[in-house]
Amino acid sequence: MHIVLDDTAMAAAGQGNVLASRLIHRAHAEPGWFLYAPACALVEADRARPGTAEHLISLPGITILDLDLAAALAVARQETWAAAHSQYASQPTPERPDGAVIATTAPERWAGEPVRVLDLTP
């Protein structure tokens, strides 16, 4: 299972959201579970809740996704960097042929977008 944390999910994890905590635990403890934190979304989560970035990058099982050239070009076409980088990260790749699910506490943000969403709203 490949899951991309958007900025709202990252901030929620830092605030003790039980569902986000379960995802983090699974990514650390269970084979086949992978969590990704796009760099742009991580920055936005840290702006919303200072300390979130340091907290998340210290956790095992979370892979930080850098803003490479392809991601930068995708981000340049969108309104917000955090959402654009999360959406780009959820697209299929050779490592993730089926793409990834976006974990969020704001599922309405993704309405009409070509992504699968995991609602972490308690």
Side-chain angles (χ1 to χ4, degrees):
M1 180 63 128
H2 296 274
I3 300 171
V4 173
L5 299 171
D6 77 357
D7 56 307
T8 68
M10 291 183 212
Q15 294 174 324
N17 179 291
V18 173
L19 299 173
S21 295
R22 286 181 186 162
L23 286 178
I24 292 167
H25 173 73
R26 280 196 158 167
H28 173 66
E30 294 183 30
W33 281 79
F34 304 93
L35 280 184
Y36 304 97
C40 292
L42 187 62
V43 168
E44 194 60 35
D46 199 68
R47 285 182 181 163
R49 187 171 188 282
T52 299
E54 289 84 3
H55 173 71
L56 286 175
I57 63 173
S58 71
L59 296 173
I62 296 181
T63 301
I64 307 301
L65 299 177
D66 294 330
L67 187 64
D68 60 13
L69 178 59
L73 294 173
V75 164
R77 290 184 222 115
Q78 300 292 329
E79 188 173 316
T80 67
W81 287 30
H85 199 188
S86 296
Q87 183 172 347
Y88 172 80
S90 74
Q91 300 307 305
T93 66
E95 298 83 29
R96 298 182 300 277
D98 294 327
V101 176
I102 296 180
T104 184
T105 60
E108 65 281 354
R109 167 196 281 180
W110 300 104
E113 297 295 335
V115 297
R116 295 176 291 156
V117 172
L118 176 62
D119 186 354
L120 298 182
T121 307

